[in-house]
Amino acid sequence: MTRRWRESPATVLGVLTGLNAFNYLDRYVGAATLPLMLASLSISDAAGGLLQSAFILTYALVCPFIGWAGDRGPRMRLAAAGVFLWSVATVASGLAPTYALLLLARAIVGVGEWPSAAGPVTTAAQAAYTAARRAAATPR
């Protein structure tokens, strides 16, 4: 019996790997564009550094809760919700007209990024997905 392409563990792995690549790109694009943000928003170096701190602190504070939710609920739905939140917050970061809104958007990126790509939620989802497919394909 042939599987549809979207049910393939290789497809799931490819999508999650692509998300992870975007995750890291998004994480570091702020550092690359920091001089432009400082000039555009007329903020200090310290305020610019706070943008990354807002992201990483929110990311760290959310980790235990997202991990707990991933152990108790549908991981791929949690990951999809994270991708949606992460995407909206990333767009909001790019369109933020003020420092306060940019700071808020970067903090929300930290909430959305954790379940969407790099966290144990998607790693565990991939492992469970692959294991279930292998078990179903193994003759008894």
Short mmCIF file of all heavy atoms in Angstrom, two decimals, residues 70-131:
data_model
loop_
_atom_site.label_atom_id
_atom_site.label_comp_id
_atom_site.label_asym_id
_atom_site.label_seq_id
_atom_site.Cartn_x
_atom_site.Cartn_y
_atom_site.Cartn_z
N GLY A 70 3.08 19.81 25.74
CA GLY A 70 3.45 18.87 24.69
C GLY A 70 3.41 17.42 25.15
O GLY A 70 3.18 16.52 24.36
N ASP A 71 3.62 17.21 26.44
CA ASP A 71 3.54 15.85 26.98
C ASP A 71 2.09 15.40 27.16
O ASP A 71 1.83 14.21 27.30
CB ASP A 71 4.25 15.76 28.33
CG ASP A 71 5.75 15.74 28.19
OD1 ASP A 71 6.25 15.47 27.07
OD2 ASP A 71 6.43 16.02 29.20
N ARG A 72 1.16 16.32 27.21
CA ARG A 72 -0.21 15.99 27.54
C ARG A 72 -1.21 16.21 26.41
O ARG A 72 -2.38 15.88 26.55
CB ARG A 72 -0.65 16.78 28.77
CG ARG A 72 -0.04 16.21 30.01
CD ARG A 72 0.00 17.21 31.14
NE ARG A 72 0.63 16.65 32.32
CZ ARG A 72 1.92 16.45 32.49
NH1 ARG A 72 2.76 16.75 31.53
NH2 ARG A 72 2.40 15.96 33.61
N GLY A 73 -0.78 16.78 25.33
CA GLY A 73 -1.72 17.09 24.25
C GLY A 73 -1.15 16.75 22.89
O GLY A 73 -0.05 16.21 22.78
N PRO A 74 -1.89 17.07 21.86
CA PRO A 74 -1.43 16.79 20.49
C PRO A 74 -0.26 17.70 20.11
O PRO A 74 -0.43 18.92 19.98
CB PRO A 74 -2.67 17.06 19.62
CG PRO A 74 -3.56 17.90 20.46
CD PRO A 74 -3.22 17.65 21.89
N ARG A 75 0.89 17.12 19.98
CA ARG A 75 2.12 17.90 19.75
C ARG A 75 2.11 18.67 18.44
O ARG A 75 2.57 19.81 18.39
CB ARG A 75 3.33 16.97 19.79
CG ARG A 75 3.59 16.42 21.16
CD ARG A 75 4.83 15.52 21.14
NE ARG A 75 5.03 14.96 22.44
CZ ARG A 75 5.03 13.65 22.69
NH1 ARG A 75 4.87 12.79 21.71
NH2 ARG A 75 5.23 13.21 23.90
N MET A 76 1.62 18.06 17.38
CA MET A 76 1.65 18.74 16.09
C MET A 76 0.70 19.95 16.08
O MET A 76 0.99 20.95 15.45
CB MET A 76 1.32 17.78 14.95
CG MET A 76 2.42 16.73 14.75
SD MET A 76 4.07 17.43 14.54
CE MET A 76 4.09 17.66 12.80
N ARG A 77 -0.39 19.87 16.80
CA ARG A 77 -1.28 21.03 16.90
C ARG A 77 -0.62 22.13 17.71
O ARG A 77 -0.75 23.31 17.40
CB ARG A 77 -2.61 20.64 17.53
CG ARG A 77 -3.49 19.87 16.58
CD ARG A 77 -4.85 19.65 17.14
NE ARG A 77 -5.61 18.85 16.19
CZ ARG A 77 -6.77 18.34 16.44
NH1 ARG A 77 -7.33 18.52 17.62
NH2 ARG A 77 -7.40 17.64 15.55
N LEU A 78 0.07 21.75 18.77
CA LEU A 78 0.80 22.73 19.57
C LEU A 78 1.89 23.39 18.71
O LEU A 78 2.08 24.61 18.76
CB LEU A 78 1.40 22.06 20.80
CG LEU A 78 2.12 22.95 21.79
CD1 LEU A 78 1.18 23.99 22.38
CD2 LEU A 78 2.72 22.10 22.91
N ALA A 79 2.58 22.58 17.93
CA ALA A 79 3.61 23.12 17.04
C ALA A 79 2.99 24.06 16.00
O ALA A 79 3.54 25.13 15.72
CB ALA A 79 4.36 21.98 16.35
N ALA A 80 1.86 23.67 15.44
CA ALA A 80 1.18 24.53 14.45
C ALA A 80 0.75 25.86 15.08
O ALA A 80 0.90 26.92 14.47
CB ALA A 80 -0.02 23.80 13.86
N ALA A 81 0.24 25.80 16.31
CA ALA A 81 -0.14 27.03 17.01
C ALA A 81 1.10 27.90 17.24
O ALA A 81 1.04 29.13 17.10
CB ALA A 81 -0.83 26.70 18.32
N GLY A 82 2.22 27.26 17.59
CA GLY A 82 3.47 28.00 17.78
C GLY A 82 3.94 28.66 16.49
O GLY A 82 4.37 29.82 16.50
N VAL A 83 3.84 27.93 15.37
CA VAL A 83 4.24 28.50 14.08
C VAL A 83 3.37 29.71 13.75
O VAL A 83 3.86 30.74 13.29
CB VAL A 83 4.16 27.45 12.96
CG1 VAL A 83 4.28 28.09 11.58
CG2 VAL A 83 5.23 26.39 13.14
N PHE A 84 2.07 29.59 14.00
CA PHE A 84 1.16 30.71 13.72
C PHE A 84 1.52 31.92 14.58
O PHE A 84 1.68 33.03 14.07
CB PHE A 84 -0.29 30.29 13.96
CG PHE A 84 -1.27 31.40 13.74
CD1 PHE A 84 -1.60 31.81 12.46
CD2 PHE A 84 -1.83 32.07 14.81
CE1 PHE A 84 -2.48 32.85 12.25
CE2 PHE A 84 -2.71 33.11 14.63
CZ PHE A 84 -3.04 33.51 13.33
N LEU A 85 1.66 31.71 15.89
CA LEU A 85 1.98 32.82 16.80
C LEU A 85 3.33 33.42 16.46
O LEU A 85 3.50 34.65 16.42
CB LEU A 85 1.97 32.32 18.25
CG LEU A 85 2.23 33.37 19.32
CD1 LEU A 85 1.16 34.44 19.29
CD2 LEU A 85 2.27 32.69 20.69
N TRP A 86 4.32 32.59 16.19
CA TRP A 86 5.66 33.01 15.84
C TRP A 86 5.62 33.85 14.55
O TRP A 86 6.24 34.90 14.47
CB TRP A 86 6.53 31.77 15.72
CG TRP A 86 7.88 31.91 15.14
CD1 TRP A 86 8.78 32.91 15.36
CD2 TRP A 86 8.52 30.98 14.27
NE1 TRP A 86 9.94 32.66 14.68
CE2 TRP A 86 9.80 31.47 14.01
CE3 TRP A 86 8.15 29.78 13.71
CZ2 TRP A 86 10.71 30.81 13.19
CZ3 TRP A 86 9.05 29.11 12.90
CH2 TRP A 86 10.31 29.63 12.65
N SER A 87 4.85 33.39 13.56
CA SER A 87 4.77 34.11 12.28
C SER A 87 4.12 35.48 12.45
O SER A 87 4.62 36.47 11.92
CB SER A 87 3.97 33.28 11.26
OG SER A 87 4.62 32.06 11.02
N VAL A 88 3.01 35.52 13.18
CA VAL A 88 2.32 36.80 13.40
C VAL A 88 3.23 37.76 14.17
O VAL A 88 3.34 38.94 13.83
CB VAL A 88 0.99 36.57 14.14
CG1 VAL A 88 0.39 37.88 14.62
CG2 VAL A 88 0.01 35.83 13.24
N ALA A 89 3.91 37.26 15.20
CA ALA A 89 4.79 38.12 16.00
C ALA A 89 6.00 38.58 15.19
O ALA A 89 6.47 39.71 15.36
CB ALA A 89 5.24 37.38 17.26
N THR A 90 6.50 37.74 14.29
CA THR A 90 7.63 38.14 13.45
C THR A 90 7.22 39.25 12.49
O THR A 90 7.94 40.24 12.31
CB THR A 90 8.18 36.92 12.68
OG1 THR A 90 8.67 35.96 13.63
CG2 THR A 90 9.32 37.31 11.76
N VAL A 91 6.04 39.11 11.89
CA VAL A 91 5.54 40.17 11.01
C VAL A 91 5.32 41.45 11.82
O VAL A 91 5.68 42.54 11.38
CB VAL A 91 4.24 39.72 10.29
CG1 VAL A 91 3.57 40.89 9.59
CG2 VAL A 91 4.55 38.62 9.30
N ALA A 92 4.75 41.30 13.01
CA ALA A 92 4.54 42.47 13.87
C ALA A 92 5.86 43.13 14.24
O ALA A 92 5.93 44.37 14.33
CB ALA A 92 3.78 42.07 15.14
N SER A 93 6.91 42.34 14.43
CA SER A 93 8.23 42.90 14.70
C SER A 93 8.70 43.78 13.55
O SER A 93 9.26 44.86 13.76
CB SER A 93 9.27 41.79 14.93
OG SER A 93 9.00 41.06 16.07
N GLY A 94 8.49 43.31 12.34
CA GLY A 94 8.91 44.07 11.17
C GLY A 94 8.10 45.32 10.94
O GLY A 94 8.60 46.28 10.34
N LEU A 95 6.87 45.34 11.39
CA LEU A 95 5.99 46.48 11.15
C LEU A 95 5.84 47.40 12.36
O LEU A 95 5.13 48.40 12.28
CB LEU A 95 4.60 45.97 10.73
CG LEU A 95 4.55 45.15 9.45
CD1 LEU A 95 3.14 44.62 9.21
CD2 LEU A 95 5.04 45.95 8.27
N ALA A 96 6.49 47.06 13.47
CA ALA A 96 6.32 47.84 14.71
C ALA A 96 6.80 49.28 14.51
O ALA A 96 7.97 49.51 14.19
CB ALA A 96 7.09 47.18 15.84
N PRO A 97 5.92 50.24 14.74
CA PRO A 97 6.30 51.64 14.56
C PRO A 97 7.00 52.24 15.77
O PRO A 97 7.61 53.30 15.66
CB PRO A 97 4.96 52.34 14.31
CG PRO A 97 3.96 51.51 15.05
CD PRO A 97 4.48 50.09 14.99
N THR A 98 6.89 51.58 16.93
CA THR A 98 7.52 52.11 18.14
C THR A 98 8.35 51.04 18.82
O THR A 98 8.16 49.84 18.60
CB THR A 98 6.45 52.59 19.15
OG1 THR A 98 5.70 51.47 19.61
CG2 THR A 98 5.52 53.63 18.53
N TYR A 99 9.24 51.49 19.67
CA TYR A 99 10.09 50.58 20.42
C TYR A 99 9.27 49.65 21.31
O TYR A 99 9.53 48.46 21.38
CB TYR A 99 11.11 51.36 21.25
CG TYR A 99 11.95 50.48 22.12
CD1 TYR A 99 12.95 49.68 21.59
CD2 TYR A 99 11.73 50.43 23.50
CE1 TYR A 99 13.72 48.85 22.38
CE2 TYR A 99 12.50 49.61 24.30
CZ TYR A 99 13.49 48.82 23.74
OH TYR A 99 14.24 48.01 24.53
N ALA A 100 8.27 50.19 21.98
CA ALA A 100 7.45 49.38 22.90
C ALA A 100 6.76 48.24 22.16
O ALA A 100 6.73 47.10 22.64
CB ALA A 100 6.43 50.26 23.61
N LEU A 101 6.23 48.53 20.99
CA LEU A 101 5.57 47.47 20.21
C LEU A 101 6.57 46.46 19.68
O LEU A 101 6.28 45.26 19.62
CB LEU A 101 4.75 48.08 19.07
CG LEU A 101 3.49 48.83 19.51
CD1 LEU A 101 2.83 49.51 18.32
CD2 LEU A 101 2.53 47.90 20.22
N LEU A 102 7.75 46.92 19.30
CA LEU A 102 8.80 46.00 18.85
C LEU A 102 9.24 45.10 20.00
O LEU A 102 9.40 43.89 19.82
CB LEU A 102 9.99 46.79 18.30
CG LEU A 102 11.18 45.97 17.82
CD1 LEU A 102 10.78 44.99 16.73
CD2 LEU A 102 12.28 46.90 17.33
N LEU A 103 9.40 45.66 21.18
CA LEU A 103 9.78 44.88 22.36
C LEU A 103 8.71 43.82 22.67
O LEU A 103 9.03 42.65 22.92
CB LEU A 103 9.98 45.81 23.55
CG LEU A 103 10.57 45.21 24.82
CD1 LEU A 103 11.99 44.72 24.58
CD2 LEU A 103 10.56 46.26 25.92
N LEU A 104 7.46 44.20 22.61
CA LEU A 104 6.36 43.26 22.85
C LEU A 104 6.35 42.16 21.79
O LEU A 104 6.21 40.97 22.11
CB LEU A 104 5.02 44.01 22.86
CG LEU A 104 3.78 43.13 23.02
CD1 LEU A 104 3.79 42.44 24.38
CD2 LEU A 104 2.53 43.98 22.85
N ALA A 105 6.50 42.54 20.54
CA ALA A 105 6.50 41.55 19.45
C ALA A 105 7.65 40.56 19.60
O ALA A 105 7.47 39.36 19.42
CB ALA A 105 6.57 42.26 18.10
N ARG A 106 8.83 41.05 19.97
CA ARG A 106 9.98 40.14 20.15
C ARG A 106 9.75 39.19 21.32
O ARG A 106 10.14 38.02 21.27
CB ARG A 106 11.26 40.94 20.36
CG ARG A 106 11.79 41.61 19.12
CD ARG A 106 12.07 40.66 17.98
NE ARG A 106 13.14 39.72 18.32
CZ ARG A 106 13.41 38.62 17.63
NH1 ARG A 106 12.70 38.30 16.57
NH2 ARG A 106 14.40 37.84 17.99
N ALA A 107 9.10 39.66 22.37
CA ALA A 107 8.78 38.78 23.49
C ALA A 107 7.80 37.70 23.05
O ALA A 107 7.95 36.53 23.41
CB ALA A 107 8.22 39.59 24.66
N ILE A 108 6.82 38.07 22.25
CA ILE A 108 5.85 37.08 21.76
C ILE A 108 6.50 36.10 20.80
O ILE A 108 6.12 34.92 20.77
CB ILE A 108 4.63 37.80 21.14
CG1 ILE A 108 3.89 38.57 22.22
CG2 ILE A 108 3.69 36.80 20.46
CD1 ILE A 108 2.80 39.49 21.70
N VAL A 109 7.49 36.54 20.04
CA VAL A 109 8.24 35.61 19.20
C VAL A 109 8.84 34.50 20.07
O VAL A 109 8.83 33.33 19.70
CB VAL A 109 9.35 36.33 18.40
CG1 VAL A 109 10.34 35.35 17.79
CG2 VAL A 109 8.74 37.19 17.31
N GLY A 110 9.33 34.86 21.25
CA GLY A 110 9.88 33.86 22.17
C GLY A 110 8.85 32.84 22.61
O GLY A 110 9.17 31.67 22.81
N VAL A 111 7.60 33.25 22.76
CA VAL A 111 6.53 32.32 23.13
C VAL A 111 6.22 31.39 21.96
O VAL A 111 6.08 30.18 22.14
CB VAL A 111 5.25 33.08 23.55
CG1 VAL A 111 4.11 32.13 23.81
CG2 VAL A 111 5.53 33.93 24.78
N GLY A 112 6.11 31.93 20.77
CA GLY A 112 5.73 31.13 19.61
C GLY A 112 6.82 30.26 19.06
O GLY A 112 6.56 29.20 18.49
N GLU A 113 8.06 30.68 19.24
CA GLU A 113 9.16 29.93 18.65
C GLU A 113 9.41 28.61 19.34
O GLU A 113 9.76 27.62 18.71
CB GLU A 113 10.44 30.78 18.68
CG GLU A 113 11.59 30.12 17.96
CD GLU A 113 12.82 30.98 17.97
OE1 GLU A 113 12.82 32.06 17.38
OE2 GLU A 113 13.81 30.54 18.59
N TRP A 114 9.23 28.56 20.63
CA TRP A 114 9.62 27.36 21.37
C TRP A 114 8.90 26.10 20.89
O TRP A 114 9.54 25.10 20.61
CB TRP A 114 9.44 27.58 22.87
CG TRP A 114 10.28 26.63 23.63
CD1 TRP A 114 11.58 26.79 23.97
CD2 TRP A 114 9.92 25.34 24.12
NE1 TRP A 114 12.05 25.70 24.65
CE2 TRP A 114 11.04 24.79 24.75
CE3 TRP A 114 8.75 24.59 24.06
CZ2 TRP A 114 11.04 23.53 25.32
CZ3 TRP A 114 8.75 23.34 24.64
CH2 TRP A 114 9.88 22.83 25.27
N PRO A 115 7.57 26.10 20.78
CA PRO A 115 6.93 24.86 20.35
C PRO A 115 7.01 24.63 18.84
O PRO A 115 6.77 23.54 18.37
CB PRO A 115 5.47 25.04 20.77
CG PRO A 115 5.25 26.49 20.76
CD PRO A 115 6.56 27.09 21.18
N SER A 116 7.35 25.67 18.08
CA SER A 116 7.22 25.56 16.64
C SER A 116 8.37 24.84 15.95
O SER A 116 8.15 24.19 14.95
CB SER A 116 7.05 26.95 16.03
OG SER A 116 8.17 27.74 16.29
N ALA A 117 9.57 24.94 16.44
CA ALA A 117 10.65 24.38 15.66
C ALA A 117 11.74 23.70 16.48
O ALA A 117 12.03 22.53 16.28
CB ALA A 117 11.28 25.46 14.79
N ALA A 118 12.34 24.41 17.39
CA ALA A 118 13.55 23.90 18.02
C ALA A 118 13.30 23.11 19.29
O ALA A 118 14.18 22.41 19.76
CB ALA A 118 14.49 25.07 18.35
N GLY A 119 12.15 23.22 19.85
CA GLY A 119 11.90 22.64 21.16
C GLY A 119 11.65 21.15 21.14
O GLY A 119 11.47 20.53 20.10
N PRO A 120 11.63 20.59 22.32
CA PRO A 120 11.36 19.16 22.45
C PRO A 120 9.98 18.75 21.96
O PRO A 120 9.75 17.58 21.69
CB PRO A 120 11.49 18.92 23.96
CG PRO A 120 12.38 20.00 24.43
CD PRO A 120 12.07 21.18 23.56
N VAL A 121 9.04 19.68 21.84
CA VAL A 121 7.70 19.33 21.36
C VAL A 121 7.79 18.74 19.96
O VAL A 121 7.25 17.67 19.69
CB VAL A 121 6.76 20.55 21.39
CG1 VAL A 121 5.45 20.26 20.68
CG2 VAL A 121 6.50 20.97 22.83
N THR A 122 8.48 19.43 19.05
CA THR A 122 8.57 18.92 17.68
C THR A 122 9.53 17.74 17.58
O THR A 122 9.31 16.84 16.78
CB THR A 122 8.98 20.03 16.70
OG1 THR A 122 10.15 20.67 17.18
CG2 THR A 122 7.86 21.04 16.53
N THR A 123 10.54 17.71 18.41
CA THR A 123 11.46 16.56 18.42
C THR A 123 10.71 15.31 18.87
O THR A 123 10.82 14.25 18.25
CB THR A 123 12.65 16.84 19.34
OG1 THR A 123 13.28 18.06 18.93
CG2 THR A 123 13.65 15.72 19.30
N ALA A 124 9.93 15.43 19.93
CA ALA A 124 9.15 14.30 20.42
C ALA A 124 8.07 13.92 19.41
O ALA A 124 7.78 12.73 19.22
CB ALA A 124 8.53 14.64 21.77
N ALA A 125 7.47 14.90 18.76
CA ALA A 125 6.44 14.60 17.76
C ALA A 125 7.04 13.81 16.60
O ALA A 125 6.45 12.84 16.12
CB ALA A 125 5.81 15.90 17.25
N GLN A 126 8.22 14.21 16.15
CA GLN A 126 8.88 13.49 15.06
C GLN A 126 9.22 12.07 15.47
O GLN A 126 9.00 11.13 14.73
CB GLN A 126 10.16 14.23 14.61
CG GLN A 126 10.98 13.47 13.58
CD GLN A 126 10.26 13.27 12.26
OE1 GLN A 126 9.52 14.13 11.82
NE2 GLN A 126 10.47 12.14 11.62
N ALA A 127 9.74 11.91 16.68
CA ALA A 127 10.08 10.56 17.16
C ALA A 127 8.84 9.69 17.26
O ALA A 127 8.85 8.53 16.83
CB ALA A 127 10.77 10.66 18.51
N ALA A 128 7.77 10.23 17.80
CA ALA A 128 6.52 9.46 17.93
C ALA A 128 5.93 9.14 16.56
O ALA A 128 5.45 8.03 16.32
CB ALA A 128 5.52 10.23 18.77
N TYR A 129 5.97 10.09 15.66
CA TYR A 129 5.43 9.90 14.31
C TYR A 129 6.19 8.80 13.58
O TYR A 129 5.60 7.91 12.98
CB TYR A 129 5.52 11.22 13.54
CG TYR A 129 4.74 11.23 12.25
CD1 TYR A 129 3.40 11.57 12.24
CD2 TYR A 129 5.35 10.89 11.05
CE1 TYR A 129 2.68 11.58 11.06
CE2 TYR A 129 4.64 10.89 9.87
CZ TYR A 129 3.31 11.24 9.88
OH TYR A 129 2.60 11.25 8.71
N THR A 130 7.51 8.84 13.64
CA THR A 130 8.33 7.85 12.97
C THR A 130 8.15 6.47 13.61
O THR A 130 8.01 5.47 12.92
CB THR A 130 9.81 8.27 13.01
OG1 THR A 130 9.91 9.56 12.39
CG2 THR A 130 10.68 7.30 12.26
N ALA A 131 8.13 6.43 14.93
CA ALA A 131 7.97 5.14 15.63
C ALA A 131 6.61 4.52 15.31
O ALA A 131 6.52 3.31 15.07
CB ALA A 131 8.11 5.34 17.13
#
